[in-house]
Amino acid sequence: IKEWDKPGSKCQSANVSKWLQGNPGLLTAKCFQEVMGIQLIDTRDKEDSSHKFHAYGLVRTITGNVDQWYLNKHQQLDSIFGIDERYHHMPQKGALCCSKDTISFHYVEAAENIAFWNILQKVKQQPDSISDEQIKKTMRQDWPQRPEIGAYAHPLPASQSPVWNDMIKVIRRISSGVTS
């Protein structure tokens, strides 16, 4: 795209704020919208503003234990996508974190992806007959531990942690949107 080569263009990182310089994806989005007139879309769930794309694995996303840089990026999104009166584009934690139409979790190693896919499939196949306790037991049995979960991931919560309530709600919710 020639716009990036034009001197003084808002698409060049040298001509924008330091914050945008450190966020090339958002710089590109801003360029598309303001310079090229390409309308951006908010990819969150239309019903409840839950996110479909997640920068972290399931446990970190549900607990909200994410890095500050990630939250900082979201704080600027009202200026790019328009005002979000509900959440100001900030990721939500707990059962509100994830759309049933979730597309991806990033910073997730293969073993965690496999365990996550398997539990989603199991719940999808028997949504009414699998108990919350069975979901929890299966996850605790199949979910990888360190080092297989990777440096960015967090292990599953302790057996009696209240986080499990949200974890199971999210698993049930996402499994309802999974296609085989």
Side-chain angles (χ1 to χ4, degrees):
I1 298 176
K2 295 177 183 178
E3 187 62 39
W4 274 265
D5 295 331
K6 288 182 183 176
S9 171
K10 289 182 180 179
C11 296
Q12 285 191 353
S13 64
N15 300 322
V16 298
S17 70
K18 288 278 187 203
W19 186 83
L20 270 179
Q21 289 175 13
N23 295 282
L26 295 179
L27 172 59
T28 300
K30 196 168 181 73
C31 174
F32 281 175
Q33 186 164 339
E34 293 180 7
V35 177
M36 301 172 143
I38 298 170
Q39 185 62 41
L40 302 176
I41 60 169
D42 186 342
T43 59
R44 294 175 303 158
D45 193 296
K46 301 268 185 268
E47 292 177 22
D48 63 6
S49 299
S50 58
H51 287 248
K52 295 180 184 182
F53 296 92
H54 308 282
Y56 295 95
L58 181 67
V59 176
R60 288 187 76 176
T61 300
I62 290 173
T63 61
N65 191 356
V66 299
D67 296 342
Q68 190 60 47
W69 67 263
Y70 184 62
L71 298 175
N72 292 346
K73 285 186 181 204
H74 283 83
Q75 289 174 345
Q76 303 297 320
L77 292 179
D78 275 354
S79 67
I80 294 172
F81 290 114
I83 303 293
D84 167 17
E85 297 288 339
R86 191 177 199 177
Y87 299 125
H88 298 284
H89 300 281
M90 296 300 288
Q92 301 304 298
K93 63 183 181 179
L96 299 174
C97 72
C98 306
S99 168
K100 71 174 176 43
D101 298 320
T102 286
I103 295 168
S104 65
F105 289 89
H106 297 274
Y107 297 125
V108 178
E109 298 294 331
E112 187 175 355
N113 269 320
I114 292 167
F116 187 43
W117 179 253
N118 288 341
I119 192 65
L120 290 176
Q121 288 299 313
K122 188 171 189 166
V123 174
K124 180 182 177 67
Q125 291 167 3
Q126 26 180 325
D128 298 323
S129 63
I130 189 168
S131 71
D132 290 354
E133 197 54 43
Q134 287 172 305
I135 293 171
K136 182 177 171 181
K137 180 181 177 186
T138 300
M139 288 182 72
R140 291 188 58 78
Q141 177 182 324
D142 296 347
W143 208 263
Q145 301 296 314
R146 293 231 184 267
E148 292 83 18
I149 61 170
Y152 275 97
H154 286 184
L156 290 174
S159 183
Q160 299 305 315
S161 171
V163 172
W164 276 105
N165 295 329
D166 289 333
M167 182 87 58
I168 291 166
K169 286 178 188 172
V170 169
I171 292 292
R172 287 191 182 280
R173 183 174 193 194
I174 294 174
S175 72
S176 73
V178 168
T179 56
S180 298

